[in-house]
Amino acid sequence: MGHFQVDVRGADDRPGDARATVRRWRLGHRPALDGLRGLAVLIVVADHVGYLHEPAGSIGVTVFFVLSGFLITRVIVEARDDGTWSFIGFLGKRFVRLYPALLVVVMVVSGILLARGYPFDRWAVRSIPALVYLQNMVPLVRYEVFGHTWSLAVEEQFYFLWPLALPWVLRRPRPRTVLALAIVGSAASMVALPHDWLPMHAYALLAGCALA
C-alpha cells in the first residue's frame, strides 16, 4: 500500500498521493486524551446508573468514538511511516488489549446467571453475540444481559474495516472531502434508521479520523 508520508501542506495538496502523515507532529502518549476518554466513560457509566440522563450517555459514547477514530488513525499512519505496520499485528494488539476484560465480564455474569437457574439457551443467545463483537447487530430481546457491549462491537468492527479502507481514502484527490461525505451519509443513516450498526455510528469515528 506504500509508505505513508507527506509534508505539512496536507494530503489534499498532493492529488493521488497515498501518503498522509504530518512530519512535524507525532501522537506519542497524550495524558490529556486519556483523561478525555476517561471522562467520556464516566459520563456513560453515570447515565447507566441513573446519576445522569439522556442524552448524557449518547454524548459520552460519541466523544469516545471520536477519540477512538483519531487515535487509531494516528497509530496506523505513523506505523506505516515507520515501516512497522502489520494488519495482523494491529488486530492482535487490539484483541490482547480488549478481549480478556470482555471475556472475564461475560464469564462472571454468566456464572451468576447459570447458578441462579437462568436457562442455558437464553444465556447462549445473549452471550455469544457479545463474545464475537456482534452485539450491535442482533435483534433486541427481553432482558438484555450484555446489551451494553454494543459500543465495543461497533469499535471492533471499525478496527477491522478502517485499516483496509484508509489507503483508498488517502489516494483520493480530496480525502477530506471523501470523509466529509461519509460522515454526512452516516449521520443521515442514523436519523433514517436508528440502529446501533456500524454505519449509523461511523460519523463519530470518521470525524476523529478526519481530525487525525
Side-chain angles (χ1 to χ4, degrees):
M1 298 180 191
H3 185 63
F4 282 57
Q5 190 175 30
V6 78
D7 59 21
V8 294
R9 292 178 297 172
D12 279 353
D13 296 328
R14 301 175 65 162
D17 195 340
R19 302 173 293 176
T21 296
V22 177
R23 294 174 182 171
R24 298 181 182 178
W25 189 87
R26 294 183 68 84
L27 179 62
H29 179 240
R30 305 282 170 170
L33 295 180
D34 292 339
L36 190 55
R37 295 182 87 182
L39 178 61
V41 172
L42 287 177
I43 291 174
V44 174
V45 172
D47 176 83
H48 286 319
V49 299
Y51 285 105
L52 295 175
H53 303 285
E54 287 293 347
S58 298
I59 292 173
V61 171
T62 300
V63 170
F64 195 89
F65 281 166
V66 171
L67 289 170
S68 293
F70 174 82
L71 293 170
I72 289 303
T73 301
R74 294 303 309 177
V75 166
I76 296 171
V77 173
E78 291 180 10
R80 289 189 178 281
D81 275 349
D82 296 337
T84 59
W85 169 251
S86 167
F87 181 58
I88 300 300
F90 170 79
L91 293 180
K93 289 179 180 179
R94 303 280 79 74
F95 180 87
V96 170
R97 182 177 181 181
L98 299 173
Y99 199 79
L102 173 64
L103 183 61
V104 168
V105 170
V106 172
M107 289 179 62
V108 170
V109 174
S110 298
I112 294 172
L113 291 175
L114 293 174
R116 293 184 175 182
Y118 198 78
F120 182 83
D121 57 339
R122 293 185 182 180
W123 165 81
V125 167
R126 288 158 177 77
S127 63
I128 292 177
L131 289 172
V132 297
Y133 295 125
L134 292 176
Q135 183 65 47
N136 64 317
M137 299 177 66
V138 298
L140 294 177
V141 296
R142 293 182 63 189
Y143 309 117
E144 281 281 2
V145 180
F146 303 107
H148 297 322
T149 63
W150 72 265
S151 58
L152 181 60
V154 169
E155 283 211 13
E156 288 300 314
Q157 292 160 18
F158 178 77
Y159 290 164
F160 181 81
L161 295 174
W162 182 236
L164 303 177
L166 180 58
W168 180 86
V169 172
L170 293 174
R171 290 191 180 99
R172 299 309 94 195
R174 299 288 178 181
R176 291 185 180 88
T177 300
V178 173
L179 284 176
L181 292 174
I183 291 169
V184 171
S186 173
S189 69
M190 170 62 84
V191 174
L193 298 169
H195 298 295
D196 287 325
W197 302 339
L198 174 59
M200 288 69 179
H201 291 279
Y203 70 92
L205 291 154
L206 292 175
C209 298
L211 292 174

